[in-house]
Amino acid sequence: MEKKENKIRYFLYARRSIEKKDKEIKVASIESQLREVREMAARDDLKIVGTFFEAKSANKLFIRTEFNKMMASLAKGEADGILVWKMDRLARNFTDGGAIIQFLQDGVVAEIRSMDKVWTKETNILELAVEFGVAGQYSKDLAKHIRRGLRDRLNEGVRPSIAPLGYLN
């Protein structure tokens, strides 16, 4: 059986939700996302023509400079596909998710590959919209749970953050 050659040029995109201090760099790292996606690309013989990564939240609009650069480069035709570790790395709001979906529907992006799924123009777009919606809702719910946990710590008489200088954590 003859192996079909993939002519799609991919951008690799990786994102960590929040900026971390130097000693926390290894936690949920961008590097691990990049490594796993590059391994997938090598295994599937995919051509990566550019890499974009950043430590920014995806639930707020217009703050991800690397994402915006990638989208502009896709619009210019510099790549035809996106490789990403998980779809929630791409979007957690409907503006960015909608732009991704529109690029896919219009053929600006031929394919998006995550570690667990391949999305194309023929893919059920509703399913992709739900995926981005679930990611956005997860982010909102997580913020509520964190605030509740901090309030509980305060009610217990415990400082809900790092102890001031001179005190033990």
Side-chain angles (χ1 to χ4, degrees), residues 44-123:
D44 296 342
D45 197 27
L46 306 176
K47 182 179 181 180
I48 298 172
V49 296
T51 301
F52 298 87
F53 57 91
E54 58 197 331
K56 297 276 186 206
S57 173
N59 64 350
K60 293 189 173 110
L61 298 176
F62 313 120
I63 64 169
R64 295 186 295 150
T65 55
E66 292 301 303
F67 175 82
N68 294 335
K69 285 180 194 174
M70 179 185 72
M71 294 298 284
S73 294
L74 286 164
K76 291 178 193 170
E78 295 172 11
D80 321 291
I82 302 170
L83 299 175
V84 64
W85 181 70
K86 197 168 182 320
M87 293 304 285
D88 70 358
R89 303 297 84 201
L90 282 177
R92 285 194 172 179
N93 67 69
F94 284 110
T95 299
D96 292 342
I100 295 281
I101 289 169
Q102 194 65 52
F103 273 18
L104 202 54
Q105 284 185 317
D106 291 346
V108 173
V109 172
E111 184 176 277
I112 301 171
R113 285 189 185 216
S114 66
M115 296 301 290
D116 55 354
K117 185 149 180 151
V118 177
W119 302 88
T120 66
K121 187 176 186 172
E122 288 76 33
T123 303

